[in-house]
Amino acid sequence: EVQLVESGGGLVQAGGSLRLSCAYSGFTFDNYAIAWFRQAPGKERERVSCISSSGGSIYYADSVKGRFTISRDNAKNTVYLQMNSLKSEDTAVYLCAAGYICPRATRYWGQGTQVTVSS
């Protein structure tokens, strides 16, 4: 039914940029809020950003605020995460997740895409 597929990960040097995409399908009523999480070895899963179904409400973790930008194109069923000024600390598997509202955007999950920032 509901599916989310991340893409755009890869290897990038510190200070560089990368844009992740989360393509979703199977929403039967309306668009869901979409959140980006990241998971690195030895660290707790962190919610990086979230955007409401309409795009009217946006959240960023303090660790990425000012560097990352979340956006969505509902016509293309895609949410983006533009990552600039990347640091080695940003290295992680990035996953997108969906829910009715941002605080509950953990019902459906993608498989993740690896982002590696070299120094």
Side-chain angles (χ1 to χ4, degrees):
E1 295 183 346
V2 174
Q3 286 190 311
L4 302 101
V5 180
E6 304 92 339
S7 62
L11 176 64
V12 63
Q13 293 185 356
S17 298
L18 211 57
R19 188 177 77 160
L20 306 183
S21 298
C22 174
Y24 56 87
S25 63
F27 295 174
T28 58
F29 176 70
D30 204 348
N31 293 303
Y32 283 83
I34 301 291
W36 284 99
F37 292 79
R38 64 186 181 187
Q39 179 68 65
K43 298 181 179 179
E44 296 292 327
R45 191 186 304 273
E46 177 186 25
R47 188 175 69 160
V48 173
S49 186
C50 189
I51 186 167
S52 63
S53 60
S54 67
S57 297
I58 289 175
Y59 163 85
Y60 296 106
D62 289 342
S63 57
V64 306
K65 191 173 182 65
R67 299 187 297 120
F68 291 10
T69 302
I70 192 170
S71 63
R72 70 189 301 158
D73 186 342
N74 286 344
K76 296 182 178 180
N77 293 341
T78 303
V79 172
Y80 304 97
L81 185 67
Q82 178 67 46
M83 305 186 295
N84 298 327
S85 302
L86 284 164
K87 308 173 182 179
S88 60
E89 300 95 304
D90 296 317
T91 295
V93 174
Y94 283 73
L95 307 97
C96 60
Y100 188 66
I101 57 175
C102 275
R104 297 182 178 180
T106 55
R107 182 173 182 179
Y108 304 103
W109 291 84
Q111 293 185 349
T113 186
Q114 176 70 48
V115 172
T116 302
V117 184
S118 64
S119 59

